[in-house]
Amino acid sequence: MSTQLEQRCAACGGEEVERRIGVNDVRVCTRCGMGRIPGEPMRHSYWTLDDPQKVLDDSYWSARRKMFRAALEGLQLGGGAGRVLDLGGGAGHFTEIALQLGWDAYSMDLSEAAVAAAATRIGPERSLGPGQAAEMAGSFDAVTLWCVVAHVADPAALLEEAAGYLRPGGRMLLTTPNFLFQNLYARILARAGRPLDFSSQDHLLNFTPRALELLASRAGLSGFSFHYFGVTEECLLDRRRGRVLVPLKKAWNWFGARTTALGLPPLGAELHFLATRP
């Protein structure tokens, strides 16, 4: 039975109720459906738990590079490469691809270890710490947040910061797991004895499409749309099963993004969300 809580939703200010979803205790907004896992935001040790370069196998980075290129093509709007800032840019992999494709690209991260790792990849002048891009506010054609918004305590402040870096007409792209999908997926996996623990990946905020639209609107953005740029797999499955399941996931995410044309909410496992600064 759900219990009313005093805590308000970080996206819309709506009331939250406590629900059990799989193995997770989740506080779910009664207005926009966003889920919140009680706990602290992203671990301070994130970039010190292992190699800050986050080196994974070739199949992971091959998929990642394809998705980055597709996203950059989608951000061009026929105007060619422009200036892009990757917020929460980690070790600079996205910025490196953007530079190769002719963008004036920068990476920013809170972690000193990540900033140092990115500097070796893209140069210290393009690898920025907090506040180091203040003089470039209002000058970027695009700002990207690759699976960042799910890890922060104040997503509204993050999107306001992102919007502040954009020039008029500039676009923000963010990706995050889709709670409409993850909600059902976690319940199914729990019944199958393979529980999905949201907090184990620091996904403390779990967004619905509606929650993202409300947050972006609060940040002064408009022109919302959902897209599909690809999926990234770490291929922890054996290769035989991976050859079947990864294409199925790609097909589902492609279809899920395109349900918006039918007036339905995006149903893919991950949301690829675009918004524009008027």
Side-chain angles (χ1 to χ4, degrees), residues 107-111 115 127-133 165:
S107 175
M108 181 187 291
D109 203 281
L110 295 175
S111 165
V115 171
S127 180
L128 310 174
Q132 290 185 332
Y165 287 118

Side-chain angles (χ1 to χ4, degrees), residues 71-72 75-77 79-87 94-95 98-99 101-108 125-126 128 132-144 162-173:
L72 287 163
L75 287 168
Q76 287 187 14
L77 284 178
R83 172 177 273 193
V84 61
L85 173 65
D86 189 25
L87 282 179
F94 172 79
T95 303
L99 288 168
L101 295 178
W103 288 76
D104 181 18
Y106 297 81
S107 175
M108 181 187 291
E125 72 284 356
R126 294 186 179 276
L128 310 174
Q132 290 185 332
E135 71 281 2
M136 293 188 282
S139 71
F140 286 91
D141 299 288
V143 172
T144 55
Y165 287 118
L166 290 169
R167 63 164 179 78
R171 298 204 292 171
M172 179 196 71
L173 164 65

Side-chain angles (χ1 to χ4, degrees), residues 15-278:
E15 292 185 358
E16 293 181 332
V17 295
E18 188 172 285
R19 296 200 175 114
R20 185 73 174 174
I21 299 176
V23 298
N24 304 274
D25 291 320
V26 185
R27 296 174 180 176
V28 179
C29 176
T30 58
R31 184 184 300 169
C32 72
M34 188 177 86
R36 180 171 62 87
I37 306 296
E40 295 297 320
M42 179 179 282
R43 294 187 299 259
H44 296 295
S45 60
Y46 179 75
W47 283 103
T48 58
L49 291 174
D50 50 29
D51 185 342
Q53 297 287 338
K54 294 292 179 183
V55 175
L56 298 168
D57 64 24
D58 290 341
S59 59
Y60 176 90
W61 286 114
S62 176
R64 199 74 167 161
R65 285 190 289 269
K66 288 179 182 177
M67 187 162 64
F68 288 162
R69 290 191 180 98
L72 287 163
E73 290 176 4
L75 287 168
Q76 287 187 14
L77 284 178
R83 172 177 273 193
V84 61
L85 173 65
D86 189 25
L87 282 179
H93 292 93
F94 172 79
T95 303
E96 181 181 39
I97 295 294
L99 288 168
Q100 292 171 359
L101 295 178
W103 288 76
D104 181 18
Y106 297 81
S107 175
M108 181 187 291
D109 203 281
L110 295 175
S111 165
E112 293 181 3
V115 171
T120 66
R121 177 170 281 107
I122 60 177
E125 72 284 356
R126 294 186 179 276
S127 180
L128 310 174
Q132 290 185 332
E135 71 281 2
M136 293 188 282
S139 71
F140 286 91
D141 299 288
V143 172
T144 55
L145 300 101
W146 293 95
C147 201
V148 175
V149 71
H151 303 281
V152 299
D154 190 348
L158 176 63
L159 265 63
E160 288 172 6
E161 179 184 2
Y165 287 118
L166 290 169
R167 63 164 179 78
R171 298 204 292 171
M172 179 196 71
L173 164 65
L174 70 79
T175 69
T176 192
N178 182 3
F179 194 48
L180 293 182
F181 175 90
Q182 298 294 331
N183 188 329
L184 178 60
Y185 187 49
R187 295 175 190 274
I188 292 173
L189 286 183
R191 288 179 177 273
R194 299 181 59 193
L196 174 63
D197 182 0
F198 295 142
S199 62
S200 67
Q201 298 178 339
D202 290 316
H203 288 165
L204 301 185
L205 297 180
N206 297 273
F207 291 88
T208 62
R210 179 59 177 157
L212 287 182
E213 291 174 344
L214 290 169
L215 271 176
S217 180
R218 288 173 58 186
L221 301 170
S222 60
F224 312 137
S225 57
F226 293 91
H227 298 262
Y228 169 76
F229 298 115
V231 299
T232 299
E233 296 297 336
E234 296 187 30
C235 297
L236 300 178
L237 298 168
D238 64 75
R239 296 301 179 185
R240 181 179 60 82
R241 287 192 295 164
R243 282 195 296 268
V244 175
L245 295 178
V246 172
L248 284 176
K249 182 178 180 182
K250 289 180 179 180
W252 176 257
N253 282 2
W254 178 90
F255 170 77
R258 279 154 179 77
T259 57
T260 55
L262 303 174
L264 299 172
L267 300 176
E270 189 174 52
L271 298 171
H272 296 180
F273 177 67
L274 280 173
T276 302
R277 178 180 175 183

